[in-house]
Amino acid sequence: MEARVTATDGDRDVPHEARRRRSFAVISHPDAGKSTLTEALALHARVISEAGAVHGKAGRRGVVSDWMSMEQARGISITSAALQFEYRDCVINLLDTPGHADFSEDTYRVLSAVDSAVMLLDAAKGLEPQTLKLFDVCRHRGIPVLTFINKWDRPGRDALELCDELVERIDLQPMPLTWPVGVAGQFRGVVDLDDGAFVCYERTAGGATVAPEYRMSPDDAEAEVGEDWTRAVEEAELLTSSDGEFDAARYEDASATPVLFGAAVLNFGVRRLLDLLIDLAPAPEPRSDVDGVPRPLDAEFSAFVFKVQTGMDPAHRDQVAFARVCSGVFERGMVVTNATTKRPFATKYVQQVFGQQRSTMDTAYPGDVIGLVNATALRVGDTLYSGKPAVRFPGLPQFAPAHFAVAQPADLSRSKQFRKGVDQLAAEGVVQLLRSDLRGDASPVFAAVGPMQFEVASHRLEHEFSCPAVLDRLPYSAVRKLGDSSQRSIVDAGRRSEVLDRADGTELALFEDEMSMRVMLRQHPDLALESLLAEGD
């Protein structure tokens, strides 16, 4: 890592430092190019000298932010990566999120830690199911969204059609700031709608380095590219005249989205996105505690843990807790209080983590993400603070699981390692951990939003804890929270249902299917069943 953000002892103007921060996440459907865009942004900010590409081509490396072997093998992001770097006069905290639908819960947690989002669309596919779910989370949280239409170097859909889809499907008005010259697959460059100039790019070998940019006047562009230029200008004017003219206030209230076109794998259009994040994306604002009271940015230090991860460095096998700073100044070595346990936590080892690359972090301000190493005492949703009075931020909800499996060690002599691994996976939120008196602690039940979570859990138990596991799927697909513990026996007596206890104390009533649940409710109309948080709620 080349970039490292530090501060001198005299640099303690918290509001000023907060105004310099931009914290955002990249959201999209799987395979839209999210990790590639993350590295292209890092490349333009000179954090890395050469971009990697998934499944490496012509000597290119694997994507730096995808560190788990399953990620590198499949070309998808399973975990979340965090990257901090300076660009212009600002500090950017970029969080790369899992794109696969099976990891929606992890993405939801990441979105709780950012102030804005970049929505990445595949030029050939537009709005896809996972993108819609993640956008719903952004809308629910009031997070403003910038849109980057990617892969314009490949065959795809019409630019106007893609923009119309934003209005028709999610009621989000597109406000284009650039417009592609040349149809998808025949990318010539973009019209910069700020001044009407033609911005063209020079391809580099494999897109591994920053693509040089050249600007050309409208007259010269028309002479150079002819009909493609004329069509691009006319299309852009058509959209901007139809309520698509740029208005910063509409972006801030999340009713409209600035739109850029580009090709992240070739580093086309990425610099403009970086500049837009600096000029337009919001800086951190006071966060509300559990009582709904905003905590001032210059109050004493506070942060909340939104991600816990083990095994990022095979050489050390340490656990890292990612925390978003909400107020005050964080200094490495300070002792803070965990609001959940009321116990002190010493922050001796603090790092900036991006994939397997690490650098020591000494100071952090509101909006920054810190990686607390050897944080075995921390859990997702914990609040950390210094001084008095105590503060606690709202916890992070768990999604309703849809898949269940009984887990057992393949080798009973490895039961101790199995239990250690299971507890670690549950603490990180890789799977939800359920138990029942019938099976006992030796055979916990894994619950997941998507089945790929089981693959990740099995992979990590085998490779990190040297304990291969056998998973026996359970036939349940409908789940509700049991509202009255005294009714537990009713559910357990059913032929296609049972109650399991989640690690957070919630009693989950599991049914083979919705029909089985409805039959039981007809037989026991007073049965208290409550809905759980679903994806995007």
Side-chain angles (χ1 to χ4, degrees):
M1 296 274 298
E2 297 175 13
R4 180 169 141 191
V5 179
T6 58
T8 63
D9 289 338
D11 188 8
R12 290 292 184 267
D13 185 345
V14 175
H16 169 73
E17 288 297 327
R19 287 193 296 271
R20 295 180 61 222
R21 264 62 183 174
R22 301 291 185 273
S23 302
F24 71 98
V26 183
I27 62 171
S28 77
H29 196 82
D31 200 35
K34 200 164 53 279
S35 293
T36 304
L37 177 63
T38 298
E39 290 213 336
L41 290 167
L43 181 67
H44 277 272
R46 304 186 185 281
V47 180
I48 56 178
S49 59
E50 183 176 318
V54 175
H55 293 318
K57 296 181 180 179
R60 291 182 61 174
R61 301 169 293 118
V63 170
V64 173
S65 61
D66 290 340
W67 56 271
M68 188 184 291
S69 59
M70 280 185 68
E71 296 179 300
Q72 295 168 348
R74 297 191 183 201
I76 60 172
S77 290
I78 294 172
T79 56
S80 299
L83 173 65
Q84 183 189 74
F85 56 87
E86 290 194 14
Y87 181 71
R88 287 170 42 187
D89 60 343
C90 287
V91 178
I92 288 182
N93 291 280
L94 190 166
L95 276 66
D96 182 29
T97 62
H100 199 284
D102 288 7
F103 305 98
S104 300
E105 193 167 13
D106 190 47
T107 302
Y108 187 99
R109 298 183 192 122
V110 171
L111 289 175
S112 72
V114 300
D115 303 309
S116 64
V118 172
M119 181 166 64
L120 189 64
L121 302 184
D122 186 316
K125 300 174 182 177
L127 285 169
E128 297 179 85
Q130 181 65 4
T131 314
L132 293 170
K133 292 177 181 179
L134 298 174
F135 175 75
D136 284 342
V137 176
C138 291
R139 172 163 281 170
H140 176 72
R141 299 185 61 86
I143 297 174
V145 172
L146 299 170
T147 299
F148 187 86
I149 298 180
N150 193 28
K151 301 185 180 181
W152 205 257
D153 58 314
R154 305 178 187 180
R157 294 164 59 185
D158 180 77
L160 284 172
E161 180 186 350
L162 289 165
C163 288
D164 287 343
E165 188 177 43
L166 295 174
V167 178
E168 295 167 0
R169 299 188 65 185
I170 58 176
D171 192 28
L172 187 66
Q173 176 62 49
M175 302 182 296
L177 296 180
T178 65
W179 196 261
V181 178
V183 298
Q186 300 176 27
F187 193 24
R188 310 289 296 273
V190 297
V191 183
D192 186 336
L193 298 183
D194 278 348
D195 59 10
F198 176 40
V199 183
C200 51
Y201 308 86
E202 181 179 308
R203 291 175 180 251
T204 61
T209 55
V210 172
E213 297 181 6
Y214 305 95
R215 299 181 73 85
M216 194 179 299
S217 71
D219 290 340
D220 290 342
E222 185 172 11
E224 178 75 19
V225 296
E227 184 179 338
D228 283 343
W229 172 261
T230 303
R231 182 171 57 250
V233 172
E234 291 175 350
E235 288 180 345
E237 289 177 350
L238 178 64
L239 187 57
T240 54
S241 64
S242 302
D243 202 30
E245 187 173 359
F246 177 72
D247 182 350
R250 297 173 69 190
Y251 161 71
E252 293 168 3
D253 67 18
S255 64
T257 178
V259 176
L260 302 174
F261 290 81
V265 73
L266 300 178
N267 302 304
F268 286 5
V270 176
R271 186 185 304 280
R272 181 62 186 275
L273 177 59
L274 257 179
D275 287 333
L276 194 61
L277 285 164
I278 297 297
D279 297 334
L280 195 59
E285 295 182 351
R287 290 251 169 169
S288 296
D289 61 19
V290 290
D291 298 319
V293 179
R295 183 171 177 83
L297 294 174
D298 56 357
E300 291 198 68
F301 166 77
S302 66
F304 69 90
V305 177
F306 66 90
K307 173 77 176 175
V308 176
Q309 186 71 59
T310 299
M312 298 181 74
D313 185 348
H316 297 95
R317 289 286 302 279
D318 51 10
Q319 179 171 311
V320 180
F322 292 95
R324 150 80 185 230
V325 179
C326 298
S327 67
V329 181
F330 171 82
E331 295 177 292
R332 182 168 63 89
M334 67 190 302
V335 177
V336 299
T337 301
N338 183 342
T340 303
T341 63
K342 306 296 191 296
R343 294 179 178 176
F345 178 82
T347 62
K348 184 177 180 180
Y349 303 105
V350 185
Q351 296 180 332
Q352 173 61 46
V353 182
F354 182 54
Q356 290 183 325
Q357 301 184 17
R358 300 188 179 195
S359 60
T360 299
M361 197 171 193
D362 296 316
T363 310
Y365 293 92
D368 287 341
V369 173
I370 55 178
L372 301 165
V373 184
N374 295 330
T376 56
L378 300 181
R379 297 290 182 267
V380 171
D382 283 352
T383 295
L384 304 174
Y385 69 92
S386 62
K388 294 182 179 181
V391 63
R392 188 167 187 172
F393 296 108
L396 301 178
Q398 292 185 297
F399 280 5
H403 304 270
F404 306 87
V406 178
Q408 293 179 313
D411 180 355
L412 293 179
S413 68
R414 308 290 294 174
S415 294
K416 183 177 180 180
Q417 291 86 345
F418 172 76
R419 190 70 229 181
K420 180 179 179 181
V422 166
D423 289 342
Q424 183 59 53
L425 296 178
E428 295 178 24
V430 174
V431 289
Q432 297 179 29
L433 190 61
L434 312 180
R435 69 170 304 278
S436 66
D437 293 334
L438 176 65
R439 299 179 184 84
D441 291 335
S443 300
V445 174
F446 288 174
V449 174
M452 194 179 289
Q453 290 177 257
F454 292 148
E455 294 185 46
V456 173
S458 296
H459 181 274
R460 293 188 59 189
L461 284 171
E462 178 177 357
H463 293 279
E464 293 180 28
F465 298 93
S466 301
C467 183
V470 176
L471 299 186
D472 183 16
R473 298 293 182 93
L474 295 175
Y476 304 123
S477 61
V479 59
R480 296 292 186 274
K481 178 182 177 181
L482 185 65
D484 185 350
S485 296
S486 67
Q487 297 178 323
R488 183 177 187 130
S489 59
I490 297 175
V491 180
D492 283 336
R495 293 177 54 192
R496 298 182 176 87
S497 61
E498 67 174 300
V499 176
L500 297 178
D501 298 300
R502 195 161 65 183
D504 63 359
T506 302
E507 293 178 301
L508 298 182
L510 277 56
F511 300 88
E512 189 170 294
D513 49 35
E514 293 287 335
M515 179 60 72
S516 300
M517 183 180 66
R518 288 196 291 268
V519 169
M520 180 165 285
L521 285 171
R522 282 200 297 269
Q523 295 172 343
H524 304 278
D526 294 331
L527 184 62
L529 300 178
E530 303 173 7
S531 295
L532 292 159
L533 180 74
E535 296 178 43
D537 282 1

